[in-house]
Amino acid sequence: MKAYGSGLRTTLGAGALALALVLHPTAPDAAEPPIKIGAVLSVTGGASFLGDPEKKVLELFVDRINKDGGVKGRKLQLTVYDDGGAADKAASFTKRLIDSDGVDIIIGGTTTATTMAAVPLAEKAEIPFISLAGAVVIVEPVKKWVFKTPHTDRLAAEKVFADVKKRGLSKVALISEDAGFGKSGHDQSVLVAKDFGIEIVADEVYSPKDSDVTAQLTRLRNAPGVQAVFNFGFGQGPAIVTRNYQQLGITLPLYQSHGVASKEYIKLAGPASEGVRLPASGLVIADQLPAADPQKAVVTTFKKTYEDTYRMEASAFAGHAYDGLLIALAAIDRAGGTDKVKVRDEIEKTANFVGTGGVVTMSAKDHMGLTPDAFHMVEVRKGDWALLD
């Protein structure tokens, strides 16, 4: 871990504090209790392509930090529960982390639904909670004890509509999942469309359990004046939309959200994904970032470390967990321990943290800390991601 940390200290900004703890560890004191990190993730179920890499990241870097002496002489103790994507289980496990395991901080909530089930419990218990899910409702309105690392659905909609406008188009048809992330993304898309001079000319929904959406897509194709289609969802749904899109012979530009910024989407959608555009973090196109990009060293080093360890792609979702862990450890370092109020305050003071998702600067009014330029527009070309901007 020393070599890994030394390569990132100058590029991680505030996050370097966490890695500096590994570079200069204090000898463990047997009397010092461990720093207890809890996580409730969707390791199995429909969101496992998000939750499984998140779990892998937390385990990988907690283990590395512990091998190098821990944080200020205190080892990290990680407790992970798998909610299988079920909100009720997420709530139950969050309660267990707080009441039985006595954790100092919680990282997780893989999906919007599981996160929102945990939020009231974290707020009531007054324990710092860093979500790994996307919907804007997680941090707006601001909740005192809740933060998040991924870009919001609003930022994704803004990035997509900016690209639509750049192509000289203005009439968009929406299709989205009817719950959680998809519903929130739909609502944010409708909200910001007018800011970009975009007219929503058709609007369809589908269930994450649907195996075919040709009826909805046919209605969208036949909508008067439609020039492009934008889908909001995650998991297999967007891949089904993409395959059905090709089967119907629709040639209009197709956009997806950052909820599918993973090679798994390309694998599930197959050749039908060719030409699809979506907003993604720098991690997704790490090798294509210019050398001067402040994220370049961070994302390329993280990507190599993860892929060398697990022999699989480092998705944006793996990066969300990495950012959450480092933000948490940097806050604990600055707080001088695990006092929950102090740690919460220090998370809120996170500034110029260069992570895999972008450069993070939080405040009392912003518990995510990312701006639109944290997103890159990418396109599927020959079965891989191609950077467009």
Side-chain angles (χ1 to χ4, degrees):
M1 184 64 179
K2 290 182 176 65
Y4 180 80
S6 61
L8 293 183
R9 289 185 71 189
T10 60
T11 58
L12 269 175
L17 290 173
L19 288 180
L21 303 175
V22 180
L23 293 172
H24 306 288
T26 304
D29 184 340
E32 284 290 320
I35 295 170
K36 296 183 178 182
I37 301 170
V40 180
L41 306 171
S42 303
V43 183
T44 59
S48 62
F49 76 102
L50 309 173
D52 181 63
E54 291 167 354
K55 178 174 182 285
K56 284 181 167 64
V57 163
L58 294 181
E59 291 176 339
L60 172 62
F61 289 98
V62 164
D63 180 64
R64 285 177 171 234
I65 290 170
N66 280 338
K67 286 181 178 178
D68 281 293
V71 175
K72 289 190 171 179
R74 294 176 64 180
K75 291 295 183 75
L76 307 181
Q77 180 179 310
L78 176 66
T79 302
V80 180
Y81 293 119
D82 173 20
D83 60 35
D88 58 341
K89 290 184 179 179
S92 176
F93 286 134
T94 299
K95 183 174 175 57
R96 183 184 299 182
L97 286 174
I98 296 169
D99 295 343
S100 300
D101 300 317
V103 297
D104 298 304
I105 192 167
I106 299 174
I107 300 173
T110 295
T111 70
T112 298
T114 56
T115 288
M116 294 311 293
V119 162
L121 298 170
E123 285 283 288
K124 181 178 180 181
E126 299 186 339
I127 182 170
F129 180 92
I130 301 178
S131 172
L132 308 180
V136 71
V137 68
I138 297 167
V139 290
E140 290 187 20
V142 171
K143 301 162 187 65
K144 183 175 181 179
W145 295 88
V146 179
F147 305 83
K148 72 192 292 295
T149 56
H151 317 75
T152 64
D153 39 18
R154 181 186 300 159
L155 286 180
E158 291 174 342
K159 190 71 175 182
V160 166
F161 289 149
D163 190 74
V164 169
K165 187 174 180 180
K166 187 185 298 184
R167 296 171 89 168
L169 309 176
S170 62
K171 298 182 185 297
V172 174
L174 294 179
I175 182 168
S176 55
E177 292 181 351
D178 59 6
F181 177 71
K183 185 179 186 305
S184 179
H186 162 273
D187 294 347
Q188 293 302 313
S189 297
V190 172
L191 183 67
V192 304
K194 60 181 181 297
D195 297 335
F196 294 84
I198 300 297
E199 181 184 355
I200 306 300
V201 297
D203 196 340
E204 295 286 340
V205 297
Y206 61 91
S207 166
K209 297 180 180 180
D210 287 348
S211 60
D212 184 276
V213 294
T214 54
Q216 294 96 316
L217 289 174
T218 298
R219 289 192 291 270
L220 293 185
R221 179 183 60 184
N222 295 336
V226 62
Q227 297 172 317
V229 176
F230 181 21
N231 176 218
F232 235 111
F234 73 90
Q236 293 195 21
I240 292 171
V241 168
T242 305
R243 293 198 303 268
N244 286 169
Y245 205 81
Q246 182 189 58
Q247 291 162 1
L248 288 169
I250 303 175
T251 58
L252 299 170
L254 175 60
Y255 289 88
Q256 296 283 354
S257 76
H258 60 310
V260 298
S262 164
K263 284 284 187 65
E264 185 67 17
Y265 162 71
I266 298 177
K267 178 182 176 182
L268 289 172
S273 64
E274 191 72 11
V276 171
R277 292 187 180 186
L278 56 91
S281 69
L283 179 59
V284 172
I285 32 79
D287 297 339
Q288 300 175 52
L289 291 176
D293 191 296
Q295 282 189 276
K296 181 72 172 184
V298 176
V299 294
T300 53
T301 305
F302 170 76
K303 182 178 173 67
K304 184 178 188 304
T305 301
Y306 182 91
E307 293 178 356
D308 285 352
T309 301
Y310 293 114
R311 303 298 175 185
M312 61 176 62
E313 178 217 11
S315 68
F317 315 111
H320 297 332
Y322 176 78
D323 293 349
L325 178 64
L326 286 194
I327 288 171
L329 295 183
I332 289 170
D333 172 55
R334 295 194 302 271
T338 52
D339 179 276
K340 293 179 177 59
V341 173
K342 292 180 179 179
V343 171
R344 189 222 75 89
D345 291 348
E346 290 302 330
I347 294 174
E348 192 174 82
K349 294 176 185 176
T350 298
N352 300 316
F353 170 86
V354 184
T356 66
V359 181
V360 179
T361 295
M362 296 187 189
S363 70
K365 296 181 179 180
D366 183 357
H367 280 194
M368 175 184 66
L370 293 171
T371 58
D373 60 6
F375 262 140
H376 299 275
M377 186 57 68
V378 302
E379 181 176 279
V380 180
R381 293 179 185 169
K382 297 180 180 179
D384 204 352
W385 305 114
L387 177 62
L388 295 179
D389 59 8

